[in-house]
Amino acid sequence: MTAPANHERVLIIDFGSQVTQLIARRVRELGVYCEIHPFDKAEAILDDFAPRAVILSGGPSSVTEADSPRISDKVFRLGAPVLAVCYGEQLMCDLLGGKVEGGHHREFGRADIVLAKESPLFAGIGAVDHREPVWMSHGDRVTAIPEGFEVIATSEGSPFAAIADHRRNFYGVQFHPEVVHTPRGKVIYENFLKGVAGLKGDWSMAAYKDEQIARIRQQVGKGKVICGLSGGVDSSVAAVLIHEAIGDQLTCVFVDTGLMRKDEGEQVVSLFRNHYNIPLVHVDAGAEFLGALAGISDPETKRKTIGKLFIDVFDREAGKIEGAEFLAQGTLYPDVIESVSPTGGPSHVIKSHHNVGGLPDYMKLKLVEPLRELFKDEVRQLGRELGLTDAFVGRHPFPGPGLAIRIPGDITPEKVKVLQEADAIYLEEIRKAGLYDKIWQAFAVLLPVKTVGVMGDARTYENVLALRAVTSVDGMTADFFEFPWDVLGRTATRIVNEVRGVNRVVYDVTSKPPGTIEWE
């Protein structure tokens, strides 16, 4: 990544925490540009990156272990303010002359800290002795702090729950301000970035749009660009942004797998051909994909089958576009971070929009990835800056493999049609009830189960359909949405009456704990 020279910059050093990305999101939400770099590569970029502040993330390791992830004390000699979180606090203490002991006092989940001294880090949160709820997640604890530090907060399990060297602007917290379970964590980050580090917050989506348009023009010149369009928010925003930069030098290739939601293929074609007038190649490959999936039940095999065939179809069509030199993708910053994760994240190559692997070596196209510095919510903001409607950019996440992974077991055209019809009714009823924007993600799953039922005077033996809806703030954790019973009842009744092949509807009330994969 190329850091923008004209923005204030914050460096986040990643020690493997599952919520490091949330730190970056909190910083970006405050209008401050930041990047995450793994601990073993961060020091090499310190001088060029020239951060105005540094944040050390948490992590699953123990500072007391010989092979724990570490950095040198160079970060503390930059003259920039440092905020060290959880493992980061323990490492800071260890590097600067304090003491950390391992494993003798675990503290996980909700806890209260008690403010012990006034500090700019806790400005506006409370006076001395104020109790503040936070989220803890550690097995080690600091037992002695370095010279120059003082305790600014304690907890029942952590005598050094927050520490500060106010002279050097070094701060450490044993809890995680970035998670939603620390209700006023954003205030703590704002106090650090704007109060302590003196940052103004000059990172905006309008500025990003203008900078990326200039960057795309410089990169592409007079060349031609092909964009693999899935119809999802990411690739669509990337396509509209690139088209604004280079116009008809861009051609979009939309591979319709036949596994999208009802009528979404037609909506994509209408949006890009009619509304934006972007050159578009529409490949109706539904029969090809369904044929390749016939008889396959394993979900990972489905993903790989879809990913490989998508690339084959895309390459076949792209080869017909004369003079193409560049390939545009909707790669997001979480993909970039994961690919260099110090804990060995699974994404080691640039992903296709199906998130099932990278592009083959024989595709000799140079990549254009204008979204690779953005998180999902920022992509939505950019889409609005580009004039895309809220109805489009606010759509619930939809997995690249589409309905194939929402049909456990083998895939048939009949099952796809049943699921499309039921899913459409579900979303229609959610919208009618004014609930769509309150839900992070909602969808239907056609279960590989049949039940006996009675409809009128006839006995039926048909499929069970599961409905799922979850709420989330950041996508890292989620809980089931508490539907009003009348909405669920109306939805279930419509599906059973209008969708032939379903005679029972159930609602899934499982939750998503921290660190699990994205809901699909």
Side-chain angles (χ1 to χ4, degrees):
M1 291 178 62
T2 304
N6 56 333
H7 288 294
E8 302 165 328
R9 287 170 284 181
V10 169
L11 173 65
I12 301 168
I13 300 180
D14 182 20
F15 295 97
S17 169
Q18 64 186 13
V19 293
T20 299
Q21 291 184 30
L22 294 187
I23 299 177
R25 291 184 60 152
R26 300 298 170 252
V27 174
R28 297 271 188 94
E29 285 168 2
L30 292 164
V32 177
Y33 180 82
C34 66
E35 290 183 14
I36 298 172
H37 288 268
F39 71 92
D40 56 347
K41 296 181 174 64
E43 289 190 47
I45 59 96
L46 274 178
D47 293 333
D48 288 339
F49 192 78
R52 294 278 302 275
V54 177
I55 299 174
L56 308 182
S57 86
S61 302
S62 171
V63 169
T64 62
E65 297 170 353
D67 60 349
S68 61
R70 304 181 73 82
I71 54 173
S72 73
D73 65 355
K74 182 177 179 180
V75 165
F76 303 101
R77 292 186 275 107
L78 287 176
V82 177
L83 175 63
V85 177
C86 197
Y87 177 88
E89 182 197 46
Q90 295 164 8
L91 180 61
M92 179 173 70
C93 287
D94 188 68
L95 289 171
L96 298 182
K99 187 175 180 182
V100 178
E101 293 183 3
H104 65 83
H105 196 104
R106 293 157 56 91
E107 195 174 20
F108 292 93
R110 289 181 174 85
D112 284 344
I113 59 169
V114 179
L115 303 191
K117 246 176 200 180
E118 288 189 6
S119 170
L121 193 66
F122 295 132
I125 288 180
V128 173
D129 293 332
H130 168 75
R131 300 181 72 86
E132 181 70 16
V134 299
W135 186 265
M136 294 283 190
S137 181
H138 62 97
D140 298 350
R141 77 172 176 184
V142 175
T143 55
I145 55 178
E147 185 178 349
F149 281 80
E150 58 183 334
V151 178
I152 58 174
T154 64
S155 75
E156 187 175 336
S158 299
F160 305 105
I163 59 175
D165 181 334
H166 292 112
R167 182 180 63 84
R168 292 185 289 179
N169 286 328
F170 295 163
Y171 296 84
V173 293
Q174 190 59 78
F175 56 92
H176 288 273
E178 60 274 12
V179 302
V180 295
H181 309 295
T182 300
R184 291 203 279 182
K186 186 175 179 179
V187 175
I188 294 172
Y189 278 114
E190 185 169 18
N191 287 339
F192 173 69
L193 295 170
K194 297 186 176 179
V196 174
L199 304 183
K200 299 185 297 293
D202 62 357
W203 171 252
S204 72
M205 208 42 62
Y208 184 85
K209 181 189 78 169
D210 294 340
E211 290 162 8
Q212 282 301 317
I213 287 172
R215 188 185 295 184
I216 292 165
R217 287 172 179 163
Q218 182 179 20
Q219 179 187 5
V220 172
K222 297 185 181 301
K224 289 186 178 180
V225 180
I226 302 171
C227 179
L229 191 63
S230 69
V233 173
D234 303 339
S235 64
S236 297
V237 171
V240 173
L241 177 64
I242 294 167
H243 185 257
E244 188 154 324
I246 60 172
D248 288 352
Q249 291 170 245
L250 170 71
T251 299
C252 291
V253 176
F254 170 43
V255 179
D256 188 343
T257 64
L259 299 167
M260 299 177 72
R261 282 175 156 155
K262 184 180 178 181
D263 299 330
E264 278 194 337
E266 292 86 346
Q267 292 166 13
V268 171
V269 173
S270 175
L271 178 70
F272 282 84
R273 279 190 183 156
N274 302 335
H275 184 75
Y276 282 100
N277 199 28
I278 296 175
L280 175 69
V281 176
H282 177 207
V283 187
D284 185 356
E288 201 169 345
F289 276 85
L290 287 170
L293 289 167
I296 297 176
S297 297
D298 178 71
E300 284 306 307
T301 305
K302 288 179 185 176
R303 290 175 182 274
K304 291 174 182 176
T305 301
I306 293 167
K308 181 180 182 304
L309 182 55
F310 175 85
I311 290 174
D312 289 346
V313 174
F314 178 84
D315 186 47
R316 183 178 71 212
E317 297 301 322
K320 301 174 185 176
I321 300 172
E322 200 172 323
E325 303 173 46
F326 297 89
L327 173 68
Q329 291 193 143
T331 307
L332 303 191
Y333 195 33
D335 300 330
V336 178
I337 297 166
E338 194 175 278
S339 69
V340 294
S341 168
T343 54
S347 176
H348 297 293
V349 289
I350 297 298
K351 296 179 176 183
S352 77
H353 75 279
H354 286 290
N355 293 329
V356 290
L359 297 171
D361 292 337
Y362 62 78
M363 292 182 72
K364 304 297 183 183
L365 298 171
K366 292 170 277 189
L367 286 172
V368 179
E369 298 173 308
L371 309 184
R372 64 184 278 114
E373 295 169 1
L374 301 182
F375 290 97
K376 186 79 172 185
D377 55 329
E378 294 173 322
V379 172
R380 297 187 195 280
Q381 292 175 34
L382 178 58
R384 294 183 182 99
E385 285 287 337
L386 290 163
L388 286 162
T389 64
D390 280 345
F392 183 84
V393 298
R395 290 193 305 179
H396 292 174
F398 188 70
L403 299 180
I405 55 169
R406 294 179 179 171
I407 303 175
D410 65 312
I411 309 292
T412 66
E414 293 75 24
K415 288 181 180 179
V416 171
K417 182 169 178 53
V418 167
L419 185 54
Q420 284 176 330
E421 295 293 334
D423 189 69
I425 291 171
Y426 184 31
L427 294 182
E428 182 182 339
E429 289 298 328
I430 288 173
R431 287 191 172 97
K432 278 183 183 177
L435 301 175
Y436 189 84
D437 293 334
K438 297 179 181 180
I439 297 171
W440 174 265
Q441 188 181 39
F443 56 88
V445 177
L446 188 65
L447 299 179
V449 176
K450 287 192 172 185
T451 62
V452 175
V454 175
M455 298 179 70
D457 296 322
R459 191 176 299 279
T460 64
Y461 182 58
E462 292 179 337
N463 296 289
V464 177
L465 186 89
L467 303 179
R468 173 175 285 169
V470 295
T471 59
S472 179
V473 174
D474 47 44
M476 297 296 293
T477 60
D479 203 356
F480 66 90
F481 180 71
E482 295 186 17
F483 262 110
W485 284 112
D486 61 323
V487 178
L488 269 183
R490 189 162 55 246
T491 302
T493 299
R494 279 196 61 193
I495 290 172
V496 171
N497 284 335
E498 297 175 30
V499 181
R500 187 172 296 277
V502 176
N503 71 355
R504 192 173 302 276
V505 175
V506 298
Y507 183 58
D508 182 354
V509 294
T510 54
S511 299
K512 173 189 171 188
T516 55
I517 63 169
E518 183 179 346
W519 281 93
E520 292 185 340

